[in-house]
Amino acid sequence: MAISSLSATTIPSLNTRNSTSNYSSKLSSFSSLQFPAQLHRLQFRNGGVSSHSRPRNLPLVAAKKQTFSTFDELLQNSDKPVLVDFYATWCGPCQFMAPILNEVGAVLKDTIQVVKIDTEKYPSIADKYKIEALPTFIIFKDAKPYDRFEGALTKDQLIQRIESSLNVKQ
Amino acid sequence: MAMSGFEGFEKRLELRFCGDDPVTADNNLGLRLLGFESLEQVLDAVQCTVVSAVANQYFDAYVLSESSLFVYPTKIIIKTCGTTQLLKSIRPLIHHACNLGLTLCSCRYTRGSFIFPKAQPFPHTSFKEEVIYLEETLPTDLCYRKASVMPSKTTTHSWHVFTASDQSHLIPNDMYTLEVCMTELDRVLARKFFQPPGGTKSGDIAGKEMTKITGIGDINPRAMICDFAFDPCGYSMNGVHNDRYSTIHVTPEDGFSYASFECVGSIFDDDIEHLVGSLRKAVQVFRPATLSVSTTCASHEVWPRVAHALEPLGLKCRSCAADEFPAAGSVVFQTFTARRK
């Protein structure tokens, strides 16, 4: 599965998945749902998503499960540790990181896989990992959170952080 | 006192904007929509770069090569040290904000007295030049303006204030700002802000260590800290907690050692006593021989707590000057020196 699918507006991999037709039609409505802007405030206020911020016209369990298994599948299928950047489009420090992540992804392409998750589009994933500050980076090893740090960094700092995290803890 | 060295004393600029368009209420992001590219242009004009940054749902906080930048939906605060030309950021900021449908409604510029005033570039060569520059740069609808130099017992320590406001923003809100400037830092404590010899670590890793060993991390345990250690010495941090920031900058070199601590709060805070504890802890990190505190507030409940916080630490209040400014409210400037043993 392409990494970019997670940060795209739709979730194309799901449409091609062998799911029931009912299920995928509900999911496609999920991807086109517009979250009102106030939602992102509600989500973070208590460090988690409050129940009334979830879309009402979707089976909650199904949508959540499918989103997770997509992300979880990416984690499971990866042969390398995965660096996940939790960001928001409106976050200045996250914009600062964008070119840096591209460079670091290229430099460390044999060490780590870089994935970006838009916390506005995937609030349930952001909630699961209790994302409050942006950007938040989580390094997943063997599909589990291994290291976590918050805030933007310069390229050299990020490379050093990733390398020392993966080396020392072994 | 050294003949020349790094200028720790900062220049601080706070610009408030308002939107004519109620549509901006829809996403409430205001100035945060500026985008990092535009901010980079502004910082370029000031000659600073970003070394660390973090955001939450209320604001963006940046640690710069020469201090800090905070971007809220309707206000922007830039604090820079060294020989940066901070006032040059005003024109590009007004321009970029205008593209977002935001207009400037008030401006506040404050600074202490430079340790090395002759090293400053135009327009920071004198307060008079700075005021002239501000007068020429600010739009005319900011028609209420005041500039004042607030004195202490020594001519080397004054507090310079310039504020300007339009018709509708004369009355300040409930937020207060505390700007603490410390000089002649305890030498042993200042040494903690030098990178250890034999291999300099990456700025953010070294920064985290400094935050921990100096006790800066304990000043406000609820805050998320973005820190950075400079090479070979120096330290900066921003603390972020909900919509509040705090910021510390350290120039540890003997002969011109300097540290600043700034924090904000509301006069309606339940835990305003918390401020006393934070201020004490911050000052204890550095044990300066001299310090000044400038309290900007709509009313008078904050500045008396300052002396109350510091006197038990052996710091005696030597001067207290107060004045009123458009949009800012009261500014009270107090200086303290360590009691002789």
Side-chain angles (χ1 to χ4, degrees), chain B residues 50-73:
Chain B
V50 172
V51 297
S52 186
V54 80
N56 65 13
Q57 71 265 42
Y58 299 101
F59 68 111
D60 301 329
Y62 298 87
V63 179
L64 307 175
S65 50
E66 319 241 345
S67 285
S68 293
L69 164 67
F70 303 103
V71 184
Y72 288 80

Side-chain angles (χ1 to χ4, degrees), chain A residues 120-135:
Chain A
E120 296 258 275
K121 297 206 169 83
Y122 301 95
S124 42
I125 302 181
D127 176 38
K128 181 181 180 187
Y129 295 102
K130 304 239 180 304
I131 306 300
E132 289 187 10
L134 293 172

Side-chain angles (χ1 to χ4, degrees), chain A residues 37-38 40-41 44-45 90-96 132-135 150-154 156-158 160-161 164, chain B residues 25-29 32 35-36 50-58 60-62 201-205 208 224 228:
Chain A
Q38 284 83 357
H40 73 255
R41 291 171 189 279
F44 295 123
R45 191 147 283 164
W90 43 260
C91 158
C94 303
Q95 292 162 23
F96 169 71
E132 289 187 10
L134 293 172
E150 285 133 348
L153 311 167
T154 60
D156 294 333
Q157 288 165 18
L158 182 57
Q160 215 187 80
R161 181 68 203 249
S164 63
Chain B
D26 205 17
N27 59 25
N28 280 334
L29 290 171
R32 300 180 77 185
F36 189 67
V50 172
V51 297
S52 186
V54 80
N56 65 13
Q57 71 265 42
Y58 299 101
D60 301 329
Y62 298 87
K201 295 183 183 155
S202 156
D204 63 320
I205 296 173
K208 280 200 176 17
M224 214 222 87
F228 193 83

Side-chain angles (χ1 to χ4, degrees), chain A residues 89-92 95, chain B residues 23-39 60 62 71-74 96-97 99-102:
Chain A
T89 51
W90 43 260
C91 158
Q95 292 162 23
Chain B
V23 170
T24 53
D26 205 17
N27 59 25
N28 280 334
L29 290 171
L31 287 169
R32 300 180 77 185
L33 289 169
L34 271 176
F36 189 67
E37 252 184 66
S38 303
L39 275 181
D60 301 329
Y62 298 87
V71 184
Y72 288 80
T74 54
H96 287 298
N99 291 341
L100 292 172
L102 296 166

